[in-house]
Amino acid sequence: MEIVRAIRGVLNKLSTKKFDTLVQDLTEIDLWYDKETFVEMISVIFEQAIQSPVYVSLYADLCLKIQQNENDLYKAETWFHRELVHKLQRMVEVVNGDFNAEIENEDLFMKMKKKRDLIGLIRFISQLFRVNLVNFKILENCLVTYLRAYERTMNESCLESAVLLLYNAGPFIHDLDVKAKFDGYSEYCEKYRADVCKRINFKIDDLVNLRESNWGRNV
């Protein structure tokens, strides 16, 4: 699809120095009248954001710019934000489900790829939370998905996912009510210390330290 190739070509050049120029290039592509194009673009953004930890914050900034441009055009709720949230929720379910699936003879490469995808998705969700494209309710749905999966399967990676999401999103807390909920979820994760390996216990330690430092924020 020609438009998707054009979008991918622009995103492949994404960098801090070129950000404004590339945003302009992207908005000049014929995006605004075709919902299917938005869906394809969001898929490409997710794919590249998950695989590019160095630029994940830029992808979140890019999403914010796209939404702002669409709002300027239509002065109403936009396709882009709705589809972005739907994609995020589907990705959480799919990536989490894939990671927990029992696949016989799965090689180390595939296991490592799933792990990278999971961590990449968590980082991207956290950055979308930073720019307010993901609110706490959406973030909480992701947390609950991970925690319920852990309670159901006792797969340590599910608990680790919840811990990492709290840790990555915590510095972007913006009010006291949300902080209280983060505190509660952090304490909830702590109660499973005895059930998980040392590596995840170290991550829980990091989470506790961040919480005790007021999540690194003046809130």
Side-chain angles (χ1 to χ4, degrees), residues 50 95 99 108-122 155-158 160-161 164 199-200 203:
I50 287 170
V95 172
F99 200 82
L108 181 61
F109 175 80
M110 285 304 299
K111 289 180 180 178
M112 290 176 65
K113 182 182 183 303
K114 286 181 179 180
K115 187 73 169 182
R116 285 195 302 269
D117 287 350
L118 186 63
I119 293 172
L121 179 61
I122 287 168
N155 185 325
E156 292 185 353
S157 294
C158 300
E160 182 182 9
S161 298
L164 288 174
R199 181 180 62 81
I200 296 177
K203 293 186 177 181

Side-chain angles (χ1 to χ4, degrees), residues 53-188:
V54 173
Y55 295 117
V56 66
S57 62
L58 282 181
Y59 281 104
D61 292 338
L62 176 65
C63 289
L64 180 61
K65 284 284 189 181
I66 293 169
Q67 189 207 21
Q68 289 170 342
N69 286 341
E70 194 185 14
N71 281 339
D72 289 343
L73 281 174
Y74 295 109
K75 310 297 183 186
E77 185 181 4
T78 64
W79 279 345
F80 180 76
H81 187 248
R82 289 200 305 272
E83 291 302 323
L84 183 75
V85 171
H86 290 162
K87 177 69 174 179
L88 182 154
Q89 291 170 331
R90 289 195 300 271
M91 286 290 291
V92 167
E93 293 171 0
V94 169
V95 172
N96 194 52
D98 282 350
F99 200 82
N100 287 302
E102 293 291 336
I103 301 176
E104 291 185 8
N105 302 319
E106 185 174 54
D107 62 25
L108 181 61
F109 175 80
M110 285 304 299
K111 289 180 180 178
M112 290 176 65
K113 182 182 183 303
K114 286 181 179 180
K115 187 73 169 182
R116 285 195 302 269
D117 287 350
L118 186 63
I119 293 172
L121 179 61
I122 287 168
R123 286 174 176 153
F124 191 39
I125 293 169
S126 301
Q127 290 296 323
L128 292 172
F129 181 65
R130 171 181 63 84
V131 298
N132 294 318
L133 287 177
V134 164
N135 59 28
F136 178 73
K137 182 178 179 181
I138 297 168
L139 189 81
E140 186 174 36
N141 287 340
C142 299
L143 281 169
V144 169
T145 297
Y146 292 136
L147 290 171
R148 284 180 177 169
Y150 175 69
E151 291 166 350
R152 185 176 65 253
T153 66
M154 299 307 290
N155 185 325
E156 292 185 353
S157 294
C158 300
L159 182 65
E160 182 182 9
S161 298
V163 170
L164 288 174
L165 184 54
L166 288 165
Y167 184 83
N168 280 274
F172 308 125
I173 294 170
H174 49 77
D175 66 54
L176 291 174
D177 288 340
V178 171
K179 177 185 176 296
K181 291 177 180 178
F182 265 72
D183 288 347
Y185 278 110
S186 172
E187 291 166 1
Y188 186 83

